[in-house]
Amino acid sequence: MWRSVRGTLDGSSTGELFGIAVILVALVTLVCSAMIYASGDEVAFFGLLASFAVGTMGVGIHVASREARLRRAGR
């Protein structure tokens, strides 16, 4: 299992890894904001919106970096 993970990470560009990191941070903040919002704090809704937007941006970064890497490789 670790061999396949290491192979995937070695083949990824910096932008792809940064996109994944942004997605993971957005996921954690989305879960935390959802729990705070569920406890009755309506201001946490802005955290939900912001973390969703950041997660969407992370997907865009990841996909754009992957597309650029594949174009450079000529695939």
Side-chain angles (χ1 to χ4, degrees), residues 45-73:
F45 184 73
F46 294 114
L48 284 169
L49 289 177
S51 60
F52 181 75
V54 169
T56 305
M57 182 181 65
V59 170
I61 292 169
H62 177 75
V63 169
S65 298
R66 182 172 180 84
E67 183 70 26
R69 180 176 58 87
L70 292 177
R71 282 188 186 203
R72 281 192 302 267

Side-chain angles (χ1 to χ4, degrees), residues 12-29:
S12 298
S13 67
T14 306
E16 288 176 288
L17 296 176
F18 182 72
I20 291 172
V22 169
I23 292 169
L24 291 177
V25 169
L27 179 67
V28 169
T29 57

